[in-house]
Amino acid sequence: MNAVFADVRDFIVAPNETVARLVSRRRYAPAFFGYGAAAAAIYMWGLISAPESVTAAGALLTLAVLFVFYAFKGFVYAALAHAALSFLGARGSAAGLFIIMGITEVAAVLLVPLGLIAAAASLKGVALGGLFYFAMLVLQFYMLTVFIRQSYATSTGRALTALFTPVALLLGLAFALLAVLIALAIAGVVSLLA
């Protein structure tokens, strides 16, 4: 466990060198630490934003589900982004990209102090929470772009293309599903009128 905290400390002090070392050695512990930190931060952000009575079992279950969600999201996102990078001619490893994704999830920890500041200032509301979350996503995308560019020895444009490819695929899939549902609804209405 001390090695994980040492890696996190090294990441704060010298991020580029630390990421290169972790990717080359295939160290997954800091990545899973990042996914766990993101799950805990999002859970705490939710408690700060909308406090409610929570049981210990419910909190543990929620944290476990969030951790699995973040790790699975990182796995799928890394696979799709790696495929896009490979298609664009960049060379790197999907496992390394999974590690990079996990490390950059640590940025979600910033939501906790921002939520406390908003709560202390009585600035509750979706708009402020959304602004903080958007700022955290921008920071994450910046870090991902820098680390992908470094790890894959590619350009910023290719790194950004790889980062937005999974988002574009997800949006395309959502629109296709919506079109199918609308077509089925129209067919159902037409058959009722006939």
Side-chain angles (χ1 to χ4, degrees):
M1 193 62 166
N2 288 337
V4 173
F5 290 123
D7 289 335
V8 171
R9 182 199 66 228
D10 292 345
F11 175 72
I12 292 169
V13 174
N16 290 335
E17 294 82 11
T18 304
V19 168
R21 180 175 46 84
L22 294 174
V23 168
S24 68
R25 292 184 186 167
R26 299 277 164 88
R27 297 252 335 204
Y28 293 101
F32 285 113
F33 176 81
Y35 293 125
I42 294 297
Y43 180 72
M44 290 172 64
W45 170 261
L47 287 179
I48 292 168
S49 300
E52 54 191 45
S53 61
V54 178
T55 64
L60 287 175
L61 180 63
T62 303
L63 283 172
V65 168
L66 283 171
F67 174 76
V68 169
F69 169 76
Y70 273 98
F72 182 74
K73 179 190 81 157
F75 178 78
V76 171
Y77 204 97
L80 293 173
H82 175 74
L85 284 163
S86 295
F87 180 75
L88 293 171
R91 298 287 173 243
S93 73
L97 191 52
F98 177 76
I99 292 168
I100 290 170
M101 298 266 181
I103 292 169
T104 58
E105 288 289 345
V106 173
V109 171
L110 294 174
L111 288 175
V112 176
L114 292 173
L116 290 172
I117 290 169
S122 297
L123 297 172
K124 294 187 179 192
V126 176
L128 187 62
L131 181 66
F132 286 154
Y133 194 79
F134 179 74
M136 187 266 312
L137 285 177
V138 168
L139 175 64
Q140 259 185 318
F141 265 77
Y142 172 75
M143 290 190 311
L144 280 169
T145 303
V146 169
F147 297 143
I148 288 172
R149 191 181 64 206
Q150 172 191 341
S151 180
Y152 280 78
T154 190
S155 67
T156 302
R158 287 182 179 175
L160 286 171
T161 301
L163 284 175
F164 286 110
T165 297
V167 175
L169 289 173
L170 182 64
L171 287 175
L173 185 63
F175 283 126
L177 180 62
L178 182 63
V180 167
L181 291 175
I182 290 173
L184 289 173
I186 290 173
V189 169
V190 169
S191 68
L192 286 176
L193 296 175

